[in-house]
Amino acid sequence: MYRLIALSLLLCGALPALAATEQSLPEYRALSQSLAQTDKRAFAQELKSSGRKQPLAAPHAKRFGFDPDAPDEFFQTAEARRIADIIISYQTPSGGWSKRTDMSVAPRLPGQMLGVEKHYIPTFDNGATTTQIWFLARTYNASQEPRYARAVEQAIDLIIKAQYPNGGWPQNFPLTGGYHDYITYNDKAMGKLLEVIESAAVRRAPLQFVSPEQASQAQQSFEQGIQAVLDTQVMVDGKRTIWGAQHDASTLAPINARKFEPTALATAESADLVELLMQLENPSEALKQAIVAAHDWFTANRIYGYSWEKDQDGHNVLISKEGAGPLWSRFYEIGSNKPVVGDRDGSVHYDVMEISQERRDGYAWYTNNPKEVLKDFPEWREQHLQ
């Protein structure tokens, strides 16, 4: 669960304006292109200096090869510093990291790729960049090695630069095109960024070492991010509902990503987001309304009497089962609130058993994430709505 506390939203005092908040979308995209070119030129020069004609591949890992949630005593060890040095070696000149890259084996060699997916560097997907920030910050606090703090501050600076003028964040920055440019709630991308930015804003451990100037920038960035959350909550007939997994960076409307992910209300992503919002200590009235509306939507759209499970052949099936639930479809059609699913050909269906077996088995079409919202809501309501 997110540990967001202490920051009041929409503070009364005036704060120095961030350059990012004043820039237009064309200026933002120009900054993205400039950073992308800087990364590209730096690697090209490194590859040339290494004498290699082709870059070495980076090692692959499902996540990053290290445990970001290791106990505090681990960060006092030489092993923690060894991993931290490897992490720094994979940091892009622009300040971020790739995903699915093993950062526990050995420091990156000259001319070695910065990640296993070169078009995805740097990214906020799958916890990339935020995970590295937390690890390096904890290692810095244990070792007081300045290079770890510098790497963290550079990465936070990238996060602030990556924020759209409207307050949302893309999946990748510099921008790489396609659905990666959408404002992304999928895989907790926005939530993880807001968690880092909020901690930097109040200079709370393990980010208590950031400069006052960067903390001030992070504070404004956090408020912009929360405003983007409010602005992207989907309205139907004048009522707030929940959020899409992705939203168009210009119109803020929900939008589909991969062909099998339809434009829809997204329950798993929205539930994670509401859990984050309920941790805020001083929510604004607008934010309270957003949380209540999302809770009410989850309550109204529970599914009982069905179970999403594997059959005797190991395939995912939705079956009728007495006493089962509550369960939520991963996606709901906007307006009708009917569960919807998608297939690789881009087709949208109301029955999960109509799509290809490959997609039925390869995607989490049903979720119970909103159960946590319903469980935690009464305590939140008692604290904030009495």
Side-chain angles (χ1 to χ4, degrees):
M1 182 173 288
Y2 295 95
R3 303 179 303 277
L4 297 181
I5 57 174
L7 185 63
S8 297
L9 297 179
L10 305 176
L11 301 180
C12 296
L15 293 173
L18 285 175
T21 69
E22 298 176 343
Q23 68 186 177
S24 65
L25 193 56
E27 290 171 330
Y28 171 87
R29 295 190 184 281
L31 172 63
S32 169
Q33 292 174 359
S34 175
L35 289 175
Q37 288 301 313
T38 297
D39 280 356
K40 185 176 180 180
R41 285 194 298 268
F43 185 77
Q45 181 58 50
E46 180 187 280
L47 183 63
K48 181 179 179 181
S49 298
S50 73
R52 305 181 193 277
K53 293 186 179 296
Q54 296 294 328
L56 294 173
H60 181 275
K62 184 176 181 180
R63 287 294 184 237
F64 306 106
F66 59 84
D67 180 9
D69 300 316
D72 289 341
E73 54 267 25
F74 171 77
F75 292 90
Q76 302 282 347
T77 67
E79 176 64 8
R81 294 190 293 276
R82 184 188 74 85
I83 293 174
D85 288 338
I86 295 173
I87 291 172
I88 288 177
S89 75
Y90 279 95
Q91 188 173 25
T92 66
S94 54
W97 285 271
S98 180
K99 64 179 181 179
R100 298 181 182 142
T101 301
D102 194 332
M103 300 179 191
S104 67
V105 179
R108 190 179 67 89
L109 297 172
Q112 189 171 20
M113 293 295 295
L114 287 154
V116 296
E117 298 175 283
K118 63 180 179 180
H119 296 298
Y120 285 72
I121 333 175
T123 183
F124 309 125
D125 192 28
N126 290 3
T129 299
T130 54
T131 298
Q132 284 79 7
I133 286 173
W134 295 125
F135 192 98
L136 290 173
R138 295 178 73 187
T139 308
Y140 169 73
N141 288 328
S143 67
Q144 296 298 299
E145 176 54 55
R147 65 180 179 274
Y148 304 146
R150 289 196 297 268
V152 168
E153 290 174 332
Q154 184 185 3
I156 292 173
D157 185 56
L158 176 69
I159 291 173
I160 293 172
K161 290 177 179 176
Q163 190 174 29
Y164 278 114
N166 59 30
W169 273 278
Q171 189 179 112
N172 302 337
F173 196 80
L175 301 173
T176 54
Y179 69 83
H180 306 290
D181 290 2
Y182 300 155
I183 294 172
T184 303
Y185 293 112
N186 191 31
D187 287 333
K188 301 182 182 180
M190 273 271 290
K192 289 176 183 292
L193 292 169
L194 285 168
E195 186 181 17
V196 167
I197 289 299
E198 190 270 349
S199 291
V202 298
R203 302 176 78 189
R204 183 174 57 249
L207 297 179
Q208 73 276 16
F209 57 84
V210 303
S211 70
E213 293 77 16
Q214 189 169 65
S216 178
Q217 292 179 341
Q219 189 167 354
Q220 188 168 345
S221 174
F222 181 77
E223 292 182 2
Q224 286 180 264
I226 293 297
Q227 187 60 51
V229 169
L230 293 173
D231 292 342
T232 51
Q233 191 171 18
V234 179
M235 302 285 289
V236 175
D237 295 332
K239 294 181 62 176
R240 291 184 177 273
T241 60
I242 56 174
W243 291 263
Q246 300 84 206
H247 287 253
D248 185 274
S250 298
T251 68
L252 302 185
I255 191 170
N256 71 298
R258 291 169 291 189
K259 285 187 176 181
F260 55 86
E261 295 171 318
T263 300
L265 300 177
T267 54
E269 290 80 1
S270 296
D272 291 337
L273 182 61
V274 174
E275 281 291 299
L276 179 154
L277 298 178
M278 287 197 296
Q279 299 308 305
L280 296 172
E281 192 171 75
N282 297 295
S284 66
E285 286 303 314
L287 193 54
K288 290 178 186 178
Q289 293 174 19
I291 292 170
V292 170
H295 166 269
D296 291 350
W297 190 94
F298 287 133
T299 300
N301 290 280
R302 291 172 288 187
I303 299 172
Y304 286 99
Y306 286 89
S307 177
W308 177 243
E309 57 186 58
K310 292 191 180 297
D311 64 14
Q312 60 184 7
D313 296 319
H315 299 308
N316 289 336
V317 293
L318 183 67
I319 62 171
S320 176
K321 179 179 287 188
E322 185 176 355
L327 191 67
W328 287 261
S329 176
R330 180 72 175 272
F331 299 114
Y332 285 77
E333 185 177 61
I334 299 172
S336 73
N337 288 338
K338 293 180 179 179
V340 290
V341 297
D343 217 333
R344 287 201 181 273
D345 62 0
S347 60
V348 177
H349 304 261
Y350 294 115
D351 184 350
V352 71
M353 302 307 291
E354 291 180 355
I355 64 173
S356 65
Q357 182 174 297
E358 181 272 333
R359 274 300 78 198
R360 198 167 68 242
D361 290 343
Y363 199 77
W365 292 112
Y366 288 84
T367 179
N368 60 10
N369 285 20
K371 285 179 65 175
E372 291 301 308
V373 173
L374 303 191
K375 177 176 69 71
D376 296 335
F377 183 79
E379 182 179 350
W380 178 87
R381 180 177 55 199
E382 183 176 348
Q383 292 177 349
H384 297 288
L385 298 182
Q386 300 302 319

